């Protein structure tokens, strides 16, 4: 390999560093609920997506261990070859019945939400079709649109008039609207009823990415249920590594959509099935989501308390009713500085900077979880109040 090629990489990395865009990882040595041991110190974590505290729930862990004992660790093949196990099949049925985006919905498991979104968009749209995506959507929906080769149009946050005009003007044979149900960096909820109306008026599919709503909103059934919607046009994507606490994702939709994904989606057909032990863990996790509404109530109480107290802080609070409660700081350097000061005090809260969020809107992405005790939140609020008074 020529040294020029390596030199180019080195220059690119150096430029990132100078621009303050270099990223690095912290290594977690152990965990107890939201308390993590990192680099020899204990931190209280307010930045993850384990909104119900299920990632380390003893029942979920036990189900995973029993699953490993029974089925082994790896699936050993793709679902369509020999990697589709009884717990995968049972979990798909449970998820379809739980989320029920339309009558007689089916569900299909994927190894990651990223792969599920690539599958849906490329299976429903191809060259000559049209995909419409909200600007704040997760980047994997944009990647999926590009991969499909359809014409890709992004509409401004909540700008349904613009979306309607674009849909009306489109002559594409197939149209797909994609949206995050809960915007991952804002915590705000997409106007799904209005989006479904547009989808019906213009004969489009509606892909709902519910990575941050599944398990939480709609009594745990997700954001489509939260709004009481059902339609064969809805293609629901829920991830299983956030509130469900494990890993993977699923699509729930009309059986013709699911069968099309199963037959044709390359990120389904050409990849090894997720370990069956994870499906076992997820059955246990789904039982908790179903049977323990008190976890959601505790989370809601933390959210209400946080919002009441954070209103007096100098940073802009987003209009979010969900577990994602970002404080908008503005400049990247200031967001990083606040995140550092919190870190020094044993609180892990990530700073999110452009290009993940729009320029000038760098923020602390605070997330709350049922794993947090009331006293944990008091600790966070006390430190934020102290930092607001200056260095
Ligand atoms: C996390 C996330 C994904 C990706 O899901 P993974 O299972 O982590 O690959 C997709 N969409 C949104 C909105 C997300 O937040």
């Amino acid at each position: 390999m020529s040294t020029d090629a390596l030199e180019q990489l080195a220059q690119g990395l150096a430029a990132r560093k100078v621009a303050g865009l270099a990223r690095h990882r912290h290594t977690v040595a152990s965990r107890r609920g939201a308390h993590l041991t990192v680099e020899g110190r204990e931190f209280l974590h307010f930045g993850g997506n384990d909104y119900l505290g299920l990632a380390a729930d003893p029942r979920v862990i036990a189900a995973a261990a029993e699953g490993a004992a029974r089925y082994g660790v790896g699936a050993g093949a793709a679902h369509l070859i020999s990697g589709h196990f009884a717990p995968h099949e049972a979990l798909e049925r449970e998820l379809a019945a739980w989320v029920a985006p339309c009558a007689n919905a089916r569900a299909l498991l994927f190894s990651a939400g990223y792969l599920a979104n690539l599958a849906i968009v490329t299976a429903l749209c191809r060259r000559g079709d049209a995909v419409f995506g909200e600007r704040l959507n997760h980047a994997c929906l944009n990647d999926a649109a590009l991969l499909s080769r359809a014409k890709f149009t992004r509409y401004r946050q909540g700008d349904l008039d613009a979306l309607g005009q674009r849909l009306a003007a489109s002559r594409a044979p197939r149209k797909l609207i994609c949206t995050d149900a809960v915007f991952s960096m804002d915590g705000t909820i997409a106007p799904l009823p209005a989006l479904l109306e547009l989808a019906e008026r213009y004969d489009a599919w509606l892909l709902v990415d519910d990575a941050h709503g599944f398990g939480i909103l709609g009594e745990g059934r997700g954001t489509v249920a939260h709004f009481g919607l059902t339609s064969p046009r809805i293609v629901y994507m829920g991830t299983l590594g956030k509130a469900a606490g494990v890993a993977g994702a699923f699509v729930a939709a009309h059986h013709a959509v699911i069968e099309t994904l199963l037959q044709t989606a390359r990120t389904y057909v050409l990849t090894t099935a997720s370990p069956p032990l994870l499906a076992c863990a997820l059955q246990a996790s789904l039982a908790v989501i179903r049977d323990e509404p008190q976890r959601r109530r505790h989370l809601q109480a933390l959210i209400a308390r946080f919002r009441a107290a954070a209103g007096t802080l100098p940073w802009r609070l987003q209009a979010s009713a969900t577990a994602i409660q970002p404080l908008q700081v503005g400049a990247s350097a200031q967001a990083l500085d606040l995140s550092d000061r919190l870190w020094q005090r044993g609180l892990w809260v990530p700073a999110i900077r452009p290009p993940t969020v729009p320029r000038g809107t760098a923020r602390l992405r605070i997330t709350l979880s049922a794993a947090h005790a009331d006293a944990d939140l008091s600790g966070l609020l006390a430190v934020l109040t102290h930092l607001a008074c200056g260095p």
Side-chain angles (χ1 to χ4, degrees):
M1 144 154 271
S2 92
T3 53
D4 283 357
L6 283 174
E7 182 55 31
Q8 272 179 24
L9 291 185
Q11 279 171 6
L13 291 169
R16 282 187 85 82
K17 205 163 179 181
V18 169
L21 294 175
R23 323 268 312 245
H24 68 283
R25 306 175 298 180
H26 292 294
T27 304
V28 179
S30 68
R31 122 153 102 194
R32 186 173 50 78
H35 296 258
L36 305 178
T37 306
V38 182
E39 289 138 28
R41 287 172 57 205
E42 180 163 313
F43 288 86
L44 191 49
H45 192 206
F46 283 97
N49 305 315
D50 179 23
Y51 303 124
L52 293 176
L54 291 176
D57 185 281
R59 293 161 292 181
V60 178
I61 295 169
E66 285 162 27
R70 185 148 178 190
Y71 301 103
V73 176
H79 282 280
L80 289 173
I81 305 298
S82 58
H84 190 62
F85 283 70
H88 293 129
E89 181 68 23
L91 178 62
E92 286 181 345
R93 286 174 196 281
E94 286 183 48
L95 288 167
W98 179 242
V99 172
C102 63
N104 301 318
R106 271 178 71 193
L108 193 69
L109 288 171
F110 282 81
S111 298
Y114 209 123
L115 298 175
N117 279 339
L118 295 183
I120 297 164
V121 180
T122 57
L124 296 181
C125 290
R126 62 188 79 135
R127 202 188 291 283
D129 295 333
V131 177
F132 303 85
E134 148 107 43
R135 266 198 204 286
L136 293 182
N137 278 351
H138 193 273
C140 67
L141 286 168
N142 302 341
D143 291 356
L146 295 178
L147 189 61
S148 76
R149 297 184 173 87
K151 181 168 165 26
F152 181 35
T153 304
R154 295 172 82 192
Y155 57 95
R156 275 214 322 262
Q157 181 182 5
D159 192 348
L160 299 188
D161 290 340
L163 173 60
Q165 286 163 12
R166 298 301 189 92
L167 283 161
S170 172
R171 294 282 158 267
R174 278 168 295 255
K175 305 181 193 75
L176 168 67
I177 304 167
C178 322
T179 187
D180 284 17
V182 175
F183 293 98
S184 54
M185 296 299 145
D186 291 62
T188 49
I189 301 175
L192 295 187
L195 288 168
L196 181 58
E197 255 181 60
L198 285 176
E200 275 165 1
R201 187 172 327 147
Y202 296 107
D203 191 19
W205 295 104
L206 177 61
L207 161 48
V208 177
D209 176 337
D210 206 18
H212 301 278
F214 176 74
I216 306 291
L217 295 175
E219 290 298 314
R221 295 175 193 267
T223 311
V224 168
H226 166 80
F227 285 112
L229 303 174
T230 58
S231 165
R233 293 179 183 282
I234 297 175
V235 182
Y236 180 97
M237 199 290 291
T239 64
L240 300 169
K242 288 167 179 160
V246 184
F250 68 100
V251 180
H254 189 277
H255 62 82
V257 173
I258 295 302
E259 192 62 23
T260 301
L261 293 177
L262 187 153
Q263 298 292 335
T264 68
R266 296 166 68 81
T267 61
Y268 185 76
V269 175
L270 299 176
T271 192
T272 301
S274 67
L277 73 92
L278 297 185
C280 298
L282 281 160
Q283 285 183 281
S285 160
L286 187 57
V288 178
I289 288 173
R290 245 185 334 239
D291 302 339
E292 297 188 2
Q294 61 270 29
R295 286 175 179 261
R296 284 183 289 274
R297 281 202 293 273
H298 175 54
L299 178 60
Q300 281 310 325
L302 292 172
I303 292 167
R305 239 190 95 205
F306 177 83
R307 292 189 66 79
T312 65
L313 295 172
W315 308 292
R316 202 179 129 221
L317 193 59
Q318 303 276 339
S320 161
T322 66
I324 303 167
Q325 291 291 331
L327 288 176
Q328 196 169 306
V329 172
S332 294
Q334 208 187 339
L336 278 180
D337 180 62
L338 271 175
S339 176
D340 281 347
R341 287 169 194 273
L342 288 159
W343 179 261
Q344 285 158 21
R345 290 165 176 78
L347 295 166
W348 188 352
V349 181
I352 309 287
R353 295 164 281 165
T356 308
V357 292
R359 202 182 286 275
T361 70
R363 61 199 71 183
L364 289 175
R365 183 176 180 270
I366 295 170
T367 57
L368 301 170
S369 163
H372 292 130
D374 290 327
D376 295 338
L377 179 56
S378 304
L380 173 69
L381 288 167
V383 174
L384 285 170
T385 304
H386 174 76
L387 294 178
C389 299

